[in-house]
C-alpha cells in the first residue's frame, strides 16, 4: 500500500481554507505534525512553482523539503509533488458540503515499501496536519 487518505469537515467556506494554504505565513503555522514548525526558503504558489522549506522538529532537527505545485485550482484543489526523498504526490481537494467544506487529503508515495514501513508515522501525522489546519482556520 502506498496511498494514505484523510478527510475532515470544516465549518469554513472553500475560500477560507484555500487562503490558509496559499498564504505562506498561515501555511507555515499549520503544516506538519504536532510539535513541528516550518522555515520557508522559496514559496512560489503557482502551477509549476517551487516550494523549498525545512520542517523543524520539536528537538530542533531540520528536515529539508523540496516540492513543486503541480496543479492549483483556486478554492478547489492543490496538488503538490514532493521532489526530494521520499517522493510522493499530495492532493488536497476542497469540496463544498452543507455550510462548510470537506477537505480530502490524498498522499501517494512512489515507493510502496517506504510507505508501508512509515505507515505508523504517516497516518497520525496526516490527521494532525488536518487538526492543525482547523486550529489555523479558527484563528482567522
Amino acid at each position: 500500500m502506498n496511498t494514505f487518505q484523510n478527510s475532515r469537515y470544516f465549518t469554513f467556506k472553500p475560500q477560507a481554507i484555500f487562503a490558509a494554504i496559499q498564504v505562506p505565513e498561515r501555511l507555515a503555522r499549520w503544516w506538519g505534525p504536532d510539535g513541528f514548525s516550518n522555515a520557508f526558503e522559496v514559496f512560489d504558489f503557482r502551477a509549476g512553482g517551487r516550494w523549498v522549506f525545512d520542517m523543524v522538529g520539536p528537538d530542533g532537527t531540520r528536515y529539508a523539503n523540496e516540492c513543486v505545485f503541480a496543479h492549483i485550482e483556486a478554492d478547489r484543489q492543490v496538488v503538490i509533488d514532493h521532489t526530494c526523498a521520499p517522493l510522493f504526490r499530495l492532493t488536497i481537494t476542497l469540496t463544498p458540503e452543507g455550510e462548510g467544506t470537506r477537505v480530502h487529503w490524498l498522499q501517494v508515495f512512489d515507493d510502496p515499501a517506504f510507505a508501508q514501513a512509515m505507515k505508523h508515522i504517516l497516518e497520525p501525522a496526516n490527521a494532525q496536519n488536518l487538526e492543525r489546519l482547523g486550529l489555523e482556520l479558527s484563528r482567522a
Side-chain angles (χ1 to χ4, degrees), residues 38-124:
N38 297 282
F40 290 8
E41 181 181 325
V42 176
F43 187 78
D44 184 10
F45 191 73
R46 62 178 177 84
R50 292 178 62 232
W51 179 23
V52 180
F53 65 101
D54 286 347
M55 288 185 87
V56 183
D59 65 356
T61 302
R62 296 177 80 92
Y63 301 91
N65 286 267
E66 294 187 24
C67 302
V68 171
F69 293 104
H71 175 78
I72 297 173
E73 188 176 338
D75 305 331
R76 186 177 176 314
Q77 189 175 71
V78 177
V79 179
I80 302 165
D81 287 333
H82 196 261
T83 58
C84 64
L87 301 177
F88 64 85
R89 173 168 274 195
L90 174 63
T91 302
I92 304 168
T93 304
L94 312 177
T95 305
E97 185 178 304
E99 296 297 314
T101 303
R102 172 81 44 194
V103 175
H104 185 75
W105 187 277
L106 174 66
Q107 188 177 33
V108 181
F109 284 83
D110 285 9
D111 181 356
F114 172 85
Q116 199 58 31
M118 298 301 291
K119 178 180 179 178
H120 69 286
I121 294 172
L122 294 168
E123 288 181 334

Side-chain angles (χ1 to χ4, degrees), residues 5-19:
Q5 297 186 63
N6 289 72
S7 179
R8 180 83 48 99
Y9 176 81
F10 295 101
T11 58
F12 295 88
K13 298 293 183 191
Q15 296 83 351
I17 298 168
F18 189 79

